[in-house]
Amino acid sequence: MKVIAKIKTDFPEKFGIPRQSGLADSLATVIFEPEYRNDEALRGIEGFSHLWLIWEFSEAKRDSWSPTVRPPRLGGNKRMGVFATRSPFRPNPIGLSSVKLIGLEKTHHGTVLIVSGADLLDGTPIYDIKPYLPYTDSHPDALGGFADERKHYSLKVECEETLLSVIPNKKIKPLMDILSGDPRPQYIDDSERIYGMKYGEFEIKFTVDADILTVKSIEKV
């Protein structure tokens, strides 16, 4: 297996990354490794609206594996089979994400892909890119198992306009999507605690009380 590209995202640390791809429309850039900077390899890709990224959980490597894991969605207290989850702690640390292709851009790194909806840590290695085919890849009637139990769960986000003024407009909606999805581990529920997450060059601090998330500060770091 060879790394063909790495992705540049607004998520420099694991805390705050959307729980699944497509939950926040944050932009990201797929930068190919020098060996694969060949425009012929991208011929026809602009005809697809979405792509599959096959990537490595590069920060979750382990020498051993467990047949069961504790999914955060279940509060971190109940074990499920690793193959019934999307846990990063797997026999092979491979991730799969569906992203929207925004466009191609010529840069000093060669042609890069601009995508939205990625749930990858900044710098994540990518092993392959495949087109998303709606006639086979979309299953509207599919069952979501235990992951469906909280699919409608979201927080109300309260944030003063003055705090948002430091963030570029194009990044505000993705940030609100991330916060409303509750970036905290599901087993932590402390209304007095001030949480901090990094989003691009900003650090966001917030509290959560019941179903209301209140942004306390946004600072450039």
Side-chain angles (χ1 to χ4, degrees):
M1 296 283 283
K2 295 182 179 180
V3 174
I4 66 163
K6 291 185 179 176
I7 195 166
K8 181 174 178 56
T9 73
D10 283 320
F11 309 116
E13 56 188 25
K14 289 183 284 185
F15 186 87
I17 295 179
R19 299 185 189 284
Q20 303 293 342
S21 57
L23 292 182
D25 292 331
S26 53
L27 295 177
T29 305
V30 176
I31 303 173
F32 291 90
E33 295 291 280
E35 182 181 353
Y36 301 101
R37 292 176 187 171
N38 186 327
D39 287 353
E40 286 296 294
L42 299 174
R43 184 192 297 182
I45 200 170
E46 66 277 3
F48 297 93
S49 64
H50 292 74
L51 303 171
W52 289 110
L53 303 182
I54 301 171
W55 48 276
E56 179 186 30
F57 285 105
S58 53
E59 300 300 312
K61 292 182 179 179
R62 291 183 173 181
D63 293 330
S64 59
W65 73 286
S66 171
T68 61
V69 294
R70 294 187 176 95
R73 184 173 287 273
L74 297 180
N77 298 315
K78 185 177 179 180
R79 284 191 171 274
M80 301 296 287
V82 65
F83 300 129
T85 75
R86 295 192 177 189
S87 168
F89 303 109
R90 323 184 64 79
N92 293 304
I94 296 173
L96 178 69
S97 295
S98 173
V99 297
K100 183 176 182 179
L101 177 61
I102 303 300
L104 285 69
E105 186 175 302
K106 299 283 189 180
T107 74
H108 63 283
H109 294 300
T111 301
V112 302
L113 303 180
I114 308 300
V115 301
S116 72
D119 56 341
L120 284 70
L121 188 72
D122 184 44
T124 292
I126 295 175
Y127 286 128
D128 204 1
I129 298 168
K130 298 179 184 291
Y132 176 99
L133 302 178
Y135 77 95
T136 59
D137 294 348
S138 177
H139 303 281
D141 298 326
L143 299 179
F146 69 86
D148 271 348
E149 293 178 13
R150 299 188 66 185
K151 64 181 179 181
H152 299 301
Y153 171 77
S154 65
L155 298 175
K156 177 183 178 182
V157 179
E158 295 185 346
C159 181
E160 295 180 4
E161 291 293 331
T162 54
L163 294 178
L164 291 174
S165 63
V166 300
I167 295 184
N169 287 336
K170 66 181 180 181
K171 293 190 176 185
I172 292 178
K173 184 182 182 301
L175 173 61
M176 295 296 104
D177 290 340
I178 293 166
L179 294 175
S180 66
D182 195 352
R184 303 173 301 163
Q186 296 295 296
Y187 53 86
I188 297 179
D189 186 13
D190 183 352
S191 62
E192 302 297 321
R193 180 171 177 173
I194 297 179
Y195 301 89
M197 60 168 271
K198 288 185 171 61
Y199 175 63
E201 64 269 39
F202 302 96
E203 182 168 24
I204 321 295
K205 292 187 177 179
F206 61 90
T207 59
V208 179
D209 188 3
D211 62 348
I212 298 177
L213 183 150
T214 304
V215 177
K216 296 296 185 180
S217 66
I218 300 178
E219 296 181 355
K220 195 166 185 178
V221 293

